[in-house]
Amino acid sequence: MRSDERGFTLVELLVAMSMMVVITGATVALFFSTLKDQARVTHTADQVGEARTALRRIVDDVRQASSGSGTASELKVKTYVHSASCTTSASPSATAISCEVIYKCALETSKTTYQCTRAVGGGTAVKIVGKLSNNSVFTYTPTTTPTYIAAKLVFPGSSGTATNTFENGATLRNSPTVLGY
């Protein structure tokens, strides 16, 4: 055999092919693991976005409120909204007027999860967040004539038993108790 006609031995080919199978298998497993986790990550990101938007709306209303009361599943605040009247749609360019805003958290229709709605001045309730694990959302400090109101949104986790919890709260800045008169 001439020296320029060298090739691979059968053993070398078997070792190289075995290594290729192992590397390809690991790559495919990593790819499918990433695909499986992507759905969970997307689901959690959606919950974070929805919770941030809802909590921001609630906290903004509470901060501007002069009074607030309710239960764990309902919040009533006398707050300022940018609108021509309490029953018309919000308009960022309108002067802020004092209106009653009501948040209610109840069982979603034909589901086992809960949703919270917001209604201004007895108007139409608009959904602000859904797919919650429970409707115990609001807490009041102190419990009578509260000056601080917190909201806690609990979503069912994608793995079954784990939950994703988001919470925030605010002091009623326009409350006579807080203002000291």
Side-chain angles (χ1 to χ4, degrees):
M1 177 152 79
R2 294 180 16 200
S3 64
D4 61 342
E5 293 182 14
R6 292 183 57 206
F8 295 105
T9 66
L10 183 58
V11 172
E12 290 172 330
L13 285 174
L14 286 174
V15 168
M17 286 178 30
S18 298
M19 288 174 56
M20 281 285 281
V21 167
V22 168
I23 291 170
T24 303
T27 304
V28 168
L30 180 64
F31 177 74
F32 282 114
S33 173
T34 303
L35 279 179
K36 183 178 141 192
D37 285 346
Q38 182 61 37
R40 181 186 53 78
V41 169
T42 301
H43 177 74
T44 301
D46 290 345
Q47 287 179 342
V48 169
E50 191 174 6
R52 282 184 63 170
T53 302
L55 287 172
R56 183 180 185 112
R57 172 60 75 130
I58 294 166
V59 167
D60 285 351
D61 282 343
V62 169
R63 276 196 183 110
Q64 296 303 317
S66 57
S67 65
S69 64
T71 64
S73 62
E74 181 177 272
L75 167 64
K76 293 181 183 180
V77 289
K78 187 74 167 177
T79 192
Y80 290 91
V81 296
H82 290 277
S83 185
S85 74
C86 289
T87 56
T88 59
S89 298
S91 170
S93 61
T95 303
I97 59 172
S98 181
C99 298
E100 182 178 57
V101 175
I102 301 172
Y103 289 91
K104 289 185 181 180
C105 301
L107 196 61
E108 292 183 276
T109 307
S110 303
K111 296 187 180 178
T112 59
T113 54
Y114 297 85
Q115 73 175 6
C116 295
T117 59
R118 177 183 186 264
V120 179
T124 304
V126 177
K127 177 182 169 182
I128 62 160
V129 67
K131 300 178 184 169
L132 299 173
S133 294
N134 62 60
N135 64 343
S136 295
V137 173
F138 305 106
T139 56
Y140 307 88
T141 307
T143 53
T144 58
T145 316
T147 56
Y148 182 85
I149 298 174
K152 181 178 181 179
L153 305 176
V154 181
F155 292 89
S158 56
S159 62
T161 58
T163 60
N164 295 319
T165 303
F166 307 91
E167 54 188 311
N168 200 352
T171 299
L172 285 71
R173 290 185 182 164
N174 294 311
S175 166
T177 307
V178 172
L179 294 172
Y181 54 81

